[in-house]
Amino acid sequence: MRTDQFPSEIRQSVLPEVAGNYSYKCLGCGGRFGIDELLYTCPSCGSVLLIEDTEWERLKNVPGPEWRKIFDYRRMVNNPALRGIYRFHELIGSIIPLEDIISLGEGQTPAIAANERMSDWAGIRFFFKNDGQNPSASFKDRGMASAFSYLNFLIKKRGVRDVLAICASTGDTSASAALYASYLAGNVKSAVLLPRGKVTPQQLGQPLGAGAKVIEIPGVFDDCMKVVEYLSENFSVALMNSKNAWRILGQESYSYEIAQDFDYEVGDLAVVVPIGNAGNITAVMAGFLKLYDLKIIDSLPAILGVQSEHANPVYLYYLEPEAARRQFRPVAVRPSVAQAAMIGNPVSMPRVISLVEKYRKIAGEGAVRVVQTSEQEVMDSMLIANRNGHIACTQGGECLAGIRKAVAEGKVEGNRRAVLDSTAHALKFAVFQEKYFTNSFEPEFEVVPKPELQNMPFQVDLPDSVPNPGKGKLESAEFLQFVKYASGVVAGHLDLKGRGK
Ligand SMILES: *Cc1c(COP(=O)(O)O)cnc(C)c1O
Ligand SMILES: [Zn+2]
C-alpha cells in the first residue's frame, strides 16, 4: 500500500526514521564504547559485548498497542528495506538509514502448525518456524543482514574501504556471510574458515559459489574460532561471527516475528531453540525482553534450549540448580548430526548467563530450561517431522526431540503451544538422511536406523527382451513395449487396482 493511503494516525510512523544512539556495552566490566570502530571484545577487559541504544527510553513514549499497530501496518509497506528484518527498525538498527539497508529476502519466515499426528507424538501443540526459508537457507541471514547493513552504512557514510569480512563456521555462517559479502561486490571481500570434513557438501558449495576465499582447517569449529579470533585481534578484518554484536541485533527479529504472528499473545508459548555458539538463544531472549520492556507484549514466553549429548556445555552448566555454584566448563565435542550446533565452548556463554538471569527474574525460574537429547532422537525426530510435511534440518529435529522430552519430564507444560526453530533447510543436511537410509553412520554418531523410517528408491530393471530407452532412442512400437512393461512393474510395486474396463 502507498504510504499516503494509510490512516492519518499511522502515516507519520509507518516509515521509520533514523534515531537513537547506539554503543557497545561490555558484559564483563560494564564499559561503553562507540560503534564507529568495529569491536568484538571489550578493549578494557576482553569480555563479549552487546549493542545497546542509550536513548532506548524514548521508545516508551509510544504505548505498546501503538507499536503493535505500527508494525502491523508496516507489513503492508512495499519499501524493500522494510520487507525483511528491518520491519522492526526501531528495535534493531534505528541508526541505519533505509537507503543503506541490505536485504536479500531474509526473515519473515512462516510458522507452520504441526498436524494432529505430530502434536500427539510430541505431547504438545506446536509450530515449526522455518528459518530454512531464508536466502542462504538458515537463520544466520537475519544476523548477517544486520551486520552487513551496518558495514554498508560505514562504507557509504564513513568512508570505510577495503573490508575483508572473515568468519569461522559450522557451515551456515560462512554460507550467509559469503552471500551478503558478494552482494556488496567490490567493497567487501570475504574469507571463511571451516573445519575440514565437518560441514556438509551443500554448505561447502555455498561460499564457494558466492566467490569467497574458503579455507579448511583441521579440527572442529572451536579450533577455527580460535584462529579467527586471533586474526581479528591482530589484523584488520571485519569479524562476522556472532561475537560481532550486530549479528545478535538482527537475530532478535526472530522473536519479533513470533510475537507479531501470534497477535502479540506469547505468554502461553514455549520457544524452542538449538544451542551451538549460543548467539541465537541470546538473541531470542533479548528480543522478547525488549518487547516486554516496551509493553508490546505483556508476558514472556517460556524458552527451551536444546543440546545434543555430543555437544552439551550449556546443558551441563544449568544442571547445577544453584546459580552461585554454577561453573562453566567447555566440553570436547563428539560427532553430531546436529553439526551446525556442534560447539563445545560457546562464544556467547556470558551473554546467555546474563540474559537467563534477567529473563528468570521477570518470568520465573521455570521460564528458561535447557534439555539434552541423544543423536538417535535428533535423527528420528527430523525424519518424522519431514514425513509430516515439514522441512526440518537436523537442528530442527533436535528441537522436536527436545520439546518432546521436556514435556515428558514436566519441564514444559503440555498445554502450552511450542514454536520450534528449524534453523536451516533440511536439504543442507541431506548427507545425514543418506547415512540413515543406507545405514552408514560411523559408530561415533551412535545412530541406528529404524527400518520404518528408512526409505530407498525402487529400481525398475528391464530384462534383455524389453527395449531399453536408457540405451538409445526407441522406435514407437518398441517404446510402447517398454512403457507397457515398465508400467506393469510399477503397478505391481504400488499394488494398483485396474480401472475395470
Ligand atoms: C548456527 C546454527 C545453529 C546454532 O546457533 P548458535 O547461534 O550458534 O547457537 C543451529 N542450527 C543451525 C542450522 C545453525 O546454522
Ligand atoms: Zn569490559
Side-chain angles (χ1 to χ4, degrees):
M1 193 191 271
R2 273 179 18 204
T3 44
D4 59 2
Q5 291 169 336
F6 281 90
S8 54
E9 77 272 16
I10 212 81
R11 222 172 284 154
Q12 289 295 317
S13 35
V14 79
L15 288 184
E17 285 171 357
V18 170
N21 184 10
Y22 283 34
S23 60
Y24 291 110
K25 164 109 186 279
C26 172
L27 288 180
C29 68
R32 277 192 190 280
F33 307 92
I35 54 166
D36 281 353
E37 199 186 338
L38 288 171
L39 293 180
Y40 314 110
T41 48
C42 173
S44 339
C45 79
S47 269
V48 284
L49 306 165
L50 282 173
I51 293 171
E52 279 185 5
D53 184 347
T54 53
E55 293 169 8
W56 173 259
E57 294 297 312
R58 80 184 184 286
L59 299 174
K60 295 184 179 167
N61 294 333
V62 177
E66 195 61 31
W67 276 123
R68 293 180 212 158
K69 230 183 195 175
I70 292 170
F71 294 138
D72 287 352
Y73 273 108
R74 206 173 274 165
R75 272 185 160 173
M76 288 189 275
V77 176
N78 284 319
N79 184 320
L82 299 175
R83 309 246 3 131
I85 62 167
Y86 283 98
R87 179 185 296 165
F88 309 99
H89 186 261
E90 290 88 345
L91 312 183
I92 64 179
S94 62
I95 55 160
I96 305 177
L98 295 194
E99 74 261 19
D100 293 327
I101 284 172
I102 304 295
S103 175
L104 302 182
E106 62 292 320
Q108 313 306 337
T109 57
I112 307 299
N115 62 24
E116 216 176 295
R117 184 164 67 150
M118 282 256 67
S119 297
D120 289 347
W121 185 77
I124 189 168
R125 276 193 301 156
F126 74 91
F127 300 77
F128 263 118
K129 188 164 167 65
N130 284 337
D131 259 26
Q133 288 178 244
N134 275 296
S136 80
S138 86
F139 79 83
K140 297 297 198 301
D141 295 331
R142 297 176 180 277
M144 288 303 167
S146 166
F148 276 91
S149 292
Y150 184 63
L151 203 54
N152 191 42
F153 169 69
L154 290 180
I155 290 166
K156 293 273 157 64
K157 303 284 155 69
R158 302 282 159 85
V160 170
R161 288 284 167 271
D162 298 326
V163 180
L164 177 67
I166 193 166
C167 64
S169 177
T170 53
D172 294 328
T173 300
S174 53
S176 183
L179 185 68
Y180 283 81
S182 72
Y183 189 79
L184 291 176
N187 288 319
V188 179
K189 293 197 170 53
S190 78
V192 305
L193 275 67
L194 301 171
R196 186 181 304 145
K198 306 271 181 340
V199 306
T200 72
Q202 291 74 19
Q203 290 169 321
L204 177 61
Q206 287 184 291
L208 287 172
K213 287 199 191 309
V214 176
I215 299 158
E216 295 192 310
I217 294 198
V220 293
F221 169 83
D222 296 293
D223 307 310
C224 288
M225 191 66 218
K226 287 286 175 240
V227 175
V228 159
E229 282 175 343
Y230 187 89
L231 290 171
S232 70
E233 278 154 26
N234 293 284
F235 296 89
S236 172
V237 293
L239 178 69
M240 287 297 153
N241 280 99
S242 52
K243 221 172 185 186
N244 179 334
W246 286 97
R247 287 264 318 273
I248 305 293
L249 276 185
Q251 288 173 201
E252 288 170 6
S253 61
Y254 184 82
S255 299
Y256 306 151
E257 289 173 20
I258 290 178
Q260 189 166 37
D261 282 345
F262 287 85
D263 292 324
Y264 306 97
E265 287 163 16
V266 294
D268 76 325
L269 296 183
V271 175
V272 187
V273 244
I275 307 178
N277 224 4
N280 200 21
I281 193 164
T282 296
V284 168
M285 287 188 290
F288 283 119
L289 284 169
K290 281 189 185 178
L291 293 178
Y292 184 79
D293 193 44
L294 295 178
K295 299 193 162 58
I296 297 171
I297 56 175
D298 57 21
S299 48
L300 292 168
I303 304 287
L304 179 68
V306 188
Q307 294 207 295
S308 156
E309 289 169 0
H310 287 192
N312 60 356
V314 183
Y315 169 77
L316 293 177
Y317 177 83
Y318 283 106
L319 266 188
E320 166 59 56
E322 219 164 305
R325 293 178 52 187
R326 282 181 205 133
Q327 235 187 346
F328 181 72
R329 287 190 198 84
V331 304
V333 295
R334 288 179 284 154
S336 172
V337 296
Q339 192 167 258
M342 203 179 102
I343 295 173
N345 190 11
V347 158
S348 285
M349 196 61 205
R351 291 167 171 160
V352 173
I353 293 170
S354 140
L355 281 161
V356 168
E357 195 187 325
K358 250 189 220 169
Y359 209 96
R360 284 180 165 168
K361 208 168 270 170
I362 297 171
E365 275 296 300
V368 186
R369 301 279 201 181
V370 184
V371 292
Q372 71 171 358
T373 63
S374 70
E375 290 291 311
Q376 182 77 45
E377 291 166 322
V378 173
M379 248 350 266
D380 292 346
S381 301
M382 175 187 95
L383 294 171
I384 291 169
N386 294 356
R387 282 199 172 192
N388 284 275
H390 300 285
I391 49 170
C393 61
T394 43
Q395 296 67 220
E398 189 175 22
C399 287
L400 177 53
I403 188 72
R404 191 165 178 253
K405 180 164 284 181
V407 172
E409 291 175 356
K411 288 178 179 153
V412 168
E413 303 96 320
N415 60 0
R416 286 181 179 269
R417 296 174 296 168
V419 181
L420 279 50
D421 195 346
S422 177
T423 43
H425 200 291
L427 291 175
K428 283 203 187 214
F429 297 88
V431 290
F432 295 116
Q433 175 178 293
E434 170 87 7
K435 280 180 197 285
Y436 196 99
F437 289 174
T438 56
N439 193 10
S440 55
F441 272 109
E442 293 80 355
E444 309 86 84
F445 280 98
E446 300 176 313
V447 176
V448 179
K450 293 192 165 66
E452 68 273 21
L453 290 177
Q454 283 178 310
N455 201 4
M456 291 297 279
F458 171 77
Q459 304 296 331
V460 174
D461 293 320
L462 304 177
D464 288 343
S465 59
V466 175
N468 187 333
K471 292 183 174 162
K473 194 165 156 45
L474 302 178
E475 297 299 313
S476 62
E478 290 175 331
F479 190 62
L480 191 61
Q481 205 187 334
F482 151 75
V483 169
K484 277 190 174 159
Y485 179 86
S487 301
V489 176
V490 172
H493 178 67
L494 298 178
D495 198 19
L496 302 181
K497 302 281 173 290
R499 288 183 161 221
K501 266 190 245 166

